[in-house]
Amino acid sequence: MISKINKRHLIGLSFIICHLSFSMMLTSCADYADYNTVPTDPQEAANRTLWENITNDPQLTKFAALARQCNFSETLNSPRFFTIWAPVDQAVSDEEYNRLMGSDSATIVKQFMQQHITEYNYPISAALDSTTIISLNAKHHPFTRVSFDGYTYNDINMPSANGVMHKINGLSKYYKNLYENIDDLVGCDSIKNYIQKYDEYYLDVNASVVGPLVDGKQTYLDSVMKKRNNIIRNIMRADLEDEDSTFCMVIPDDQAWNEAYGRIHPNYNYIAKMDYMDITKKTTVASSTTATTAKADKAVETTTVELQDSLTRRNIVTNLVFSNWYQPNSPLFGQGIFAPGDSALSTRGNFLTDMQEVVAHTTATAEMSNGMTRTVDNLPYHSWETYLKPIVVTTPAQTLKVSRLTQHNIPLENLAGRDSLFSKVPEMFRQWLFPQTSRFFSYIAVDSANIDGTTGKPEFNFILRDVCSATYHIYVVTVPEQVNDETAAVKPYYLRFYLSWTDADNKQQYTVLPQGAKTSSEVTTDNGTSTATVTYLGDPGRVNVIDLGEFTFPACYYGLEAYPSLMMMHTKTYTSSANRKKYDQQMRVAGVYLIPKEYNDAFANQ
């Protein structure tokens, strides 16, 4: 296999062999009216290096001075083969020239020298198709037979012993990529400091020059170190350094960051130790505070203060980047406008609605080499789409006193024309009961025949994962036998609900839902969801959305092995044939829903 450095030598040698062809091309290219006269003796120039030709060109004195300033002259004098698009002196303003001359060598190299140079041979001919050049600093430039980066040519195909040069009538403007831009943010110190905290440097083995093995370990003659960031890779899930992609990054200023922090922080109120009812073991156990942190995206033990802060910051940055491959994101890039309610898709995979508010709160935009930024003075994302999402339990993870559960999947065509079955279901729940990705209406059932003991009462226990320290509205969707069998007898059922949860002092609590309900009376309401009584009869023969009211969890369970649980049970036994004939013995559940209060207030009445 030929090494990278040998390939460069071979390309350079092949170029020397092809000098005669270049001379022929120069003759034909001289016919372009836009080009000035090429050197009278191209063969003499072809015997000199790029650096020698640059220093002998009166139109490139600024280019030569900048190359000397950053010691790039040695590179242009080396055997490496380059194509250069060199701005003539009149294309470089005195202001820009003085700025660059006053910069450090690394800045001059990256923003000027590498911006106008690439490896290998890129001649210009009448047959040249438009293409994209990747310069030494990994930036992309449109290259045609009449322009480079939009600037026309002064001279073209000027051969040297180690490359070819075209002179252009403009300065290719250097744009930082979105990752590089983070280091230069002004007025956005909160996000800047947070992301920079997770910067790490690594050896780019593909860009480094391989050396010999020493004591069995690979060495490198030229080590190229690059920087990457775990927050960007693992949390935002966007390669902000990728010059082949196009992103819009929403950047909260310090005001927006602090406001978002204040909203999110209370939802992660952890306590140092949490006892909970592990319904898989039927006992109360203790859980240490362990959860996913931003640094490594793995579960690690930490203090409750650190965990709360880490998850708060993580949730601020999770949905800040949007890719242009998703067409509805276009208004973020200045192409079209968002209508009220329009959504965009973040690189994290979340759909965010009312994106016109992001545009409205934009205080500044900036062009980057791989996209653009929007600095905002407020992050107007909805809580239920970002850090406090509805918790949907569509099946019980575990049950007590039940040896077998039955999963029912009813084809939607079997329910066609039977709208009365779902007449009590609010619109808010239809997105979960009838997901676009499924052709079935699904529920879980437990039959009294599967209950241990003849006097047993059917019982469901639902594990409620990742509950935050927030207020939720709790609903349970029950299903009548008529969904599965139209001819089944219509029977009422008697249900009661209990919530097992942990208070702020780590004491295990049990609460009958809804809170404050009466304990003596049993009534049936029009919608089958009485909030005044403990026992629910429901609306026989229909799908019922039982409203268990609001409940505020004082401690956060998110990311822990601990969880609260909801028990659903019959209040009737079925030892007598009279009860079995009168009441529905089965429990059928299409889902348990914990809807954050803000979401519930916005959509419950739709």
Side-chain angles (χ1 to χ4, degrees), residues 237-271:
R237 294 182 182 169
D239 187 354
L240 298 183
E241 201 171 13
D242 184 4
E243 301 285 352
D244 291 323
S245 300
T246 304
F247 301 106
C248 175
M249 183 175 182
V250 176
I251 300 176
D253 63 19
D254 290 334
Q255 171 185 316
W257 178 279
N258 292 334
E259 190 278 332
Y261 191 97
R263 280 188 289 111
I264 298 171
H265 192 258
N267 296 281
Y268 296 100
N269 180 38
Y270 289 95
I271 57 178

Side-chain angles (χ1 to χ4, degrees), residues 48 73 136 170 193 197 199-200 212 214 217 222 258 263-264 278 280 343 374 399 430 458-459 484 509 518 525 589:
R48 299 195 295 256
S73 55
L136 293 180
N193 294 338
K197 181 180 178 181
D199 280 338
E200 64 179 28
V214 177
K217 296 182 178 180
D222 181 15
N258 292 334
R263 280 188 289 111
I264 298 171
D278 184 347
T280 65
S343 64
R374 284 186 176 273
T399 63
R430 294 179 180 269
E459 181 179 305
N484 187 53
Q509 304 287 349
K518 298 177 182 179
T525 63
V589 178

Side-chain angles (χ1 to χ4, degrees), residues 472-591:
Y472 294 88
H473 212 105
I474 303 176
Y475 299 92
V476 176
V477 179
T478 60
V479 179
E481 176 63 14
Q482 284 69 36
V483 168
N484 187 53
D485 181 3
E486 292 186 66
T487 65
V490 177
K491 299 179 181 180
Y493 45 65
Y494 281 74
L495 300 174
R496 188 168 292 177
F497 299 88
Y498 300 87
L499 183 69
S500 171
W501 55 284
T502 305
D503 66 19
D505 296 322
N506 194 35
K507 293 181 180 179
Q508 188 72 14
Q509 304 287 349
Y510 295 90
T511 300
V512 177
L513 295 180
Q515 298 180 90
K518 298 177 182 179
T519 58
S520 58
S521 62
E522 297 175 350
V523 297
T524 301
T525 63
D526 288 341
N527 60 13
T529 59
S530 170
T531 58
T533 62
V534 169
T535 302
Y536 294 88
L537 280 72
D539 192 346
R542 300 191 188 190
V543 174
N544 285 280
V545 178
I546 298 177
D547 185 349
L548 298 180
E550 290 183 357
F551 188 87
T552 300
F553 294 90
C556 181
Y557 298 82
Y558 181 85
L560 306 182
E561 62 183 27
Y563 52 83
S565 58
L566 179 70
M567 177 188 293
M568 171 181 174
M569 61 182 296
H570 270 297
T571 61
K572 302 290 184 181
T573 60
Y574 300 101
T575 54
S576 70
S577 60
N579 273 2
R580 289 194 293 270
K581 291 180 181 179
K582 185 177 180 180
Y583 305 113
D584 194 339
Q585 300 176 60
Q586 287 189 318
M587 287 195 298
R588 308 171 198 84
V589 178

Side-chain angles (χ1 to χ4, degrees), residues 123 132 146 190 200 211 238 266 313 374 376 390 396 429 446 505 539 556 602:
T132 298
V146 296
S190 296
E200 64 179 28
R313 295 172 186 270
R374 284 186 176 273
V376 295
F429 292 91
V446 55
D505 296 322
D539 192 346
C556 181

Side-chain angles (χ1 to χ4, degrees), residues 47-65:
N47 292 328
R48 299 195 295 256
T49 66
L50 285 165
W51 176 242
E52 290 169 338
N53 284 327
I54 289 170
T55 55
N56 283 308
D57 194 322
Q59 291 186 313
L60 300 177
T61 61
K62 290 181 178 178
F63 192 102

Side-chain angles (χ1 to χ4, degrees), residues 219-322:
T219 64
Y220 295 88
L221 300 177
D222 181 15
S223 300
V224 177
M225 301 300 294
K226 289 189 176 180
K227 188 171 65 170
R228 61 189 173 197
N229 187 281
N230 282 322
I231 292 294
I232 294 171
R233 289 188 301 148
N234 297 333
I235 307 305
M236 295 180 175
R237 294 182 182 169
D239 187 354
L240 298 183
E241 201 171 13
D242 184 4
E243 301 285 352
D244 291 323
S245 300
T246 304
F247 301 106
C248 175
M249 183 175 182
V250 176
I251 300 176
D253 63 19
D254 290 334
Q255 171 185 316
W257 178 279
N258 292 334
E259 190 278 332
Y261 191 97
R263 280 188 289 111
I264 298 171
H265 192 258
N267 296 281
Y268 296 100
N269 180 38
Y270 289 95
I271 57 178
K273 181 183 178 183
M274 179 173 283
D275 294 338
Y276 70 102
M277 173 59 74
D278 184 347
I279 64 177
T280 65
K281 299 177 181 178
K282 305 180 184 180
T283 184
T284 300
V285 298
S287 170
S288 61
T289 304
T290 62
T292 302
T293 64
K295 183 173 182 179
D297 210 27
K298 296 180 180 178
V300 296
E301 289 194 16
T302 184
T303 68
T304 58
V305 173
E306 291 171 336
L307 186 57
Q308 186 175 20
D309 178 74
S310 176
L311 289 173
T312 300
R313 295 172 186 270
R314 170 179 176 155
N315 274 282
I316 295 176
V317 303
T318 294
N319 295 291
L320 295 182
V321 183
F322 303 83

